[in-house]
């Protein structure tokens, strides 16, 4: 190891390829996060449904994707699903589907925890104001649940960003796939994989700092930015209901 001759030129000469791979990684991550944050709302609502069948279906879906490895899910959608349906999906689409289904399951549980933490009095006030179930979810439950679960949501998103490296196994040209290719071509695995690790760190570390900051504020009882408006709206609802 001490006699290893580092040659970082392999990184600088291939920096454009690494950045192109990073672009694909970020594209997959952003699409997956947006879709999951939207789809997790009805899944979490179904998980709390008073109708047994709906609640069981949501719970089965969540447990399947939480209790099986993401790599297996990725392979199943890319290799097994076409064998069952006869429809061949490109690697990029398979990656989006697998990652979205996986993250939605975890996000739905985070949402459910947030939904159940909303005071019952506020929900009852919404009913007295004759708000529909959708309006109560939109104006009372969802805003407070999301703000309370921000640290958890950010942590899940960081994990998802790192897990995108798995899509290289189905030949999606993300950062890890490009890194593997350059390593095989140059025989400079140490330099190339170190550069890839630094790129992942530079993207994920600031989000991790934000997550830690929000967790400290919430644990110390300080107000999370934007929470004052929600509290005022909730109090107004209660007063109006009376």
């Amino acid at each position: 190891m001490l006699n290893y001759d580092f040659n970082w030129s392999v990184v600088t000469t291939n920096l454009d390829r690494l950045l192109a791979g990073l672009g694909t990684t970020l594209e997959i991550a952003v699409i997956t996060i947006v879709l999951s944050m939207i789809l997790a709302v009805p899944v979490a609502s179904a998980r709390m449904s008073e109708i047994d069948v709906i609640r069981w279906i949501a719970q089965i879906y969540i447990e399947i994707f939480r209790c099986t490895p993401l790599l297996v899910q990725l392979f199943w959608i890319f290799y097994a699903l076409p064998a069952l349906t006869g429809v061949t999906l490109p690697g990029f689409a398979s990656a989006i589907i697998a990652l979205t289904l996986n993250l939605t399951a975890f996000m739905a549980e985070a949402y459910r925890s947030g939904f159940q933490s909303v005071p019952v009095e506020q929900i009852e006030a919404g009913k007295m104001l004759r708000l529909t179930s959708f309006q109560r979810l939109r104006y009372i439950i969802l805003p407070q649940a999301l703000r309370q679960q921000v640290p958890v949501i950010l942590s899940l998103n960081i994990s998802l960003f790192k897990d995108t490296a798995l899509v290289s196994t189905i030949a999606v040209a993300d950062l890890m796939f490009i890194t593997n290719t350059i390593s095989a071509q140059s025989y400079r695995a140490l330099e190339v994989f170190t550069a890839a690790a630094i790129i992942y760190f530079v993207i994920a570390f600031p989000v991790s700092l934000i997550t830690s900051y929000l967790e400290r504020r919430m644990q110390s009882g300080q107000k999370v930015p934007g929470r004052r408006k929600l509290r005022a709206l909730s109090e107004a609802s209660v007063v109006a209901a009376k």
Side-chain angles (χ1 to χ4, degrees), residues 24-237:
T24 302
T25 294
L26 291 175
E27 184 179 2
I28 292 173
V30 169
I31 293 174
T32 299
I33 289 170
V34 171
L35 290 177
S36 297
M37 292 190 68
I38 295 172
L39 295 175
V41 175
V43 174
S45 300
R47 179 68 177 81
M48 298 185 299
S49 174
E50 297 179 355
I51 303 176
D52 292 340
V53 175
I54 295 178
R55 187 174 65 253
W56 291 341
I57 292 174
Q59 185 172 0
I60 290 171
Y61 158 71
I62 290 173
E63 295 304 329
I64 286 175
F65 282 91
R66 290 178 65 197
C67 299
T68 56
L70 176 56
L71 185 60
V72 173
Q73 299 165 17
L74 190 64
F75 282 173
W76 197 92
I77 291 175
F78 185 69
Y79 294 111
L81 191 60
L84 295 175
T85 63
V87 178
T88 301
L89 297 174
F92 188 88
S94 298
I96 294 294
I97 293 172
L99 292 175
T100 299
L101 290 174
N102 181 273
L103 182 59
T104 298
F106 285 91
M107 198 78 75
E109 282 297 278
Y111 281 9
R112 181 175 68 88
S113 177
F115 292 168
Q116 293 178 336
S117 67
V118 176
V120 178
E121 293 79 6
Q122 297 185 17
I123 300 176
E124 293 298 327
K127 292 180 180 179
M128 294 180 66
L129 290 173
R130 298 187 182 278
L131 298 179
T132 64
S133 298
F134 176 77
Q135 289 174 327
R136 293 196 300 271
L137 179 66
R138 177 182 177 183
Y139 295 111
I140 299 176
I141 301 175
L142 192 56
Q144 296 183 76
L146 286 179
R147 279 173 170 78
Q148 184 177 14
Q149 295 299 103
V150 163
V152 177
I153 293 172
L154 290 178
S155 296
L156 290 173
N157 292 341
I158 293 173
S159 297
L160 180 277
F161 171 69
K162 295 183 295 182
D163 288 342
T164 56
L166 294 175
V167 305
S168 62
T169 58
I170 56 173
V172 177
D174 71 324
L175 176 58
M176 186 53 61
F177 182 85
I178 298 298
T179 300
N180 276 317
T181 303
I182 297 173
S183 174
Q185 293 172 346
S186 64
Y187 300 100
R188 288 286 176 177
L190 179 57
E191 293 90 337
V192 177
F193 280 101
T194 299
I198 292 173
I199 292 174
Y200 279 111
F201 179 82
V202 168
I203 300 296
F205 183 61
V207 182
S208 178
L209 289 179
I210 294 174
T211 302
S212 299
Y213 168 75
L214 292 175
E215 287 177 341
R216 289 195 301 270
R217 288 181 64 91
M218 294 180 67
Q219 290 174 359
S220 63
Q222 297 182 36
K223 297 178 181 178
V224 177
R227 197 169 182 177
R228 182 180 300 174
K229 183 178 180 180
L230 283 174
R231 181 175 296 180
L233 177 61
S234 301
E235 291 175 353
S237 300

